[in-house]
Amino acid sequence: MLIRKVSDILSSEITPHSIYLNRRQFMAGAAGLLLPVSAIAALPAAKSPFSSTEKPNSRNDITSYNNYYEFGSGKDEPAIYAGKLKTRPWTVTVDGEVNAARTFDIDSLLKMKLQERIYRLRCVEGWSMVIPWVGFPLAELLKQVQPTSRAKFVAFETALRPGEMPGVARRVLDWPYREGLRIDEAMHPLTILAVGLYGEVLPNQNGAPIRLVVPWKYGFKSIKSITRIHLLEKQPPTSWNMANAREYGFYSNVNPEVDHPRWSQASERRIGEFFKRKTLPFNGYGEQVAALYRGMDLVKNF
Ligand SMILES: Nc1nc2c(c(=O)[nH]1)N[C@H]1C(S)=C(S)[C@@H](COP(=O)(O)O)O[C@H]1N2
Ligand SMILES: [Mo]
């Protein structure tokens, strides 16, 4: 299947320097099958339960309209300022309730078996995008460190570099940016660590060199530029919840029936579209993830 071929090529040593060459190789491969690169989403393989068949937003939309408060709170500011972030050398430490704590070098993570997955990202502010991420399941990283039976939650931390991040001078959030998932959410096959988009390494404004993507939750759960992943028994504190617990809960599953206290979540605007569309429960991933929350009151646990 073509998608497998794509991932094979993508996983062969992606580095910022070789990525362009890989992309050229990939395009050559696709041409051999008489298919333009843009046709991938329409192939049967793209209909896997993990990839949306929706038309992705343009690369320009995805890289110029961002939330990354370490570089300012304006949607245009990450694209302007995030270039300052040095993404090499870079390590991700995975520790806590594990038997084999380890610090991974980013270049070794880029050698994981990468896949292209088209996922929706839905922001709590009411806009959404469809993004062709390149990444690998978080579960594959977590298995390598052997979680203990006490590992009930996973905490994530973004790098904190005041010299490179103009936005952290303002105390909008309690830095470093922190997020968390329950262990079953973290191990779910839809949850990925993304290292690229549109077949290329992640632009800094999208969370280079590695960021989380949890497609059934509001965008703020998808933490960028991760340096630490910590497994623990208790639910970890998270940045937006600490800033305003009334507005941002720990779960933050996309839910058209639970409004944000200051606005409705019943509809959303896809960036690039004029008309709004109805928000889907779990951002349209209910079939895959609703079972994780069976028996839970999702109004209380928003
Ligand atoms: N470290 C960090 N991660 C972050 C944010 C942030 O401000 N800092 N913003 C979040 C929010 S609110 C959203 S909607 C998504 C946006 O991802 P994108 O810019 O790649 O579309 O990133 C999330 N991850
Ligand atoms: Mo967001």
Side-chain angles (χ1 to χ4, degrees), residues 23-203:
R23 181 145 179 84
R24 290 304 296 257
Q25 271 179 329
F26 165 50
M27 283 165 38
L33 292 163
L34 299 172
L35 286 164
V37 171
S38 57
I40 290 166
L43 289 169
K47 281 193 204 120
S48 86
F50 301 126
S51 207
S52 163
T53 53
E54 287 181 88
K55 186 177 175 284
N57 279 86
S58 69
R59 194 178 193 286
N60 185 59
D61 284 346
I62 296 168
T63 59
S64 62
Y65 190 89
N66 301 99
N67 269 341
Y68 198 165
Y69 276 47
E70 286 88 332
F71 298 97
S73 55
K75 305 285 175 237
D76 55 338
E77 288 180 300
I80 299 168
Y81 300 115
K84 271 193 158 190
L85 183 69
K86 291 196 192 77
T87 59
R88 291 294 185 289
W90 192 280
T91 57
V92 181
T93 298
V94 191
D95 61 3
E97 283 297 344
V98 299
N99 289 316
R102 212 170 127 188
T103 294
F104 295 86
D105 186 79
I106 188 63
D107 291 308
S108 74
L109 293 177
L110 289 172
K111 287 179 187 138
M112 301 280 288
K113 195 158 179 62
L114 302 178
Q115 311 161 356
E116 187 168 54
R117 294 184 177 196
I118 300 170
Y119 278 176
R120 291 176 287 275
L121 186 142
R122 204 303 192 169
C123 182
V124 74
E125 293 165 279
W127 53 267
S128 65
M129 287 200 218
V130 178
I131 303 179
W133 301 105
V134 176
F136 58 89
L138 171 63
E140 279 172 26
L141 183 72
L142 296 181
K143 278 176 206 154
Q144 291 188 46
V145 296
Q146 301 165 31
T148 72
S149 59
R150 284 185 302 276
K152 303 276 165 48
F153 291 91
V154 185
F156 304 84
E157 248 179 61
T158 295
L160 178 54
R161 309 245 188 95
E164 298 170 24
M165 296 173 153
V168 303
R170 287 176 54 219
R171 289 279 177 93
V172 224
L173 294 170
D174 185 0
W175 314 109
Y177 194 101
R178 270 160 279 178
E179 256 313 328
L181 295 173
R182 222 168 52 189
I183 190 81
D184 56 341
E185 299 176 321
M187 297 300 282
H188 193 281
L190 280 176
T191 304
I192 58 168
L193 285 169
V195 294
L197 60 83
Y198 265 117
E200 294 171 8
V201 290
L202 276 183

Side-chain angles (χ1 to χ4, degrees), residues 253-288:
N253 294 317
V254 173
N255 190 343
E257 276 156 33
V258 176
D259 288 337
H260 182 278
R262 288 182 285 139
W263 53 76
S264 162
Q265 293 291 1
S267 65
E268 66 190 59
R269 195 173 72 84
R270 179 74 46 86
I271 296 298
E273 290 181 0
F274 180 74
F275 292 105
K276 285 190 167 185
R277 42 173 87 210
K278 272 172 71 180
T279 298
L280 298 170
F282 299 108
N283 205 23
Y285 297 93
E287 214 173 291
Q288 292 103 309

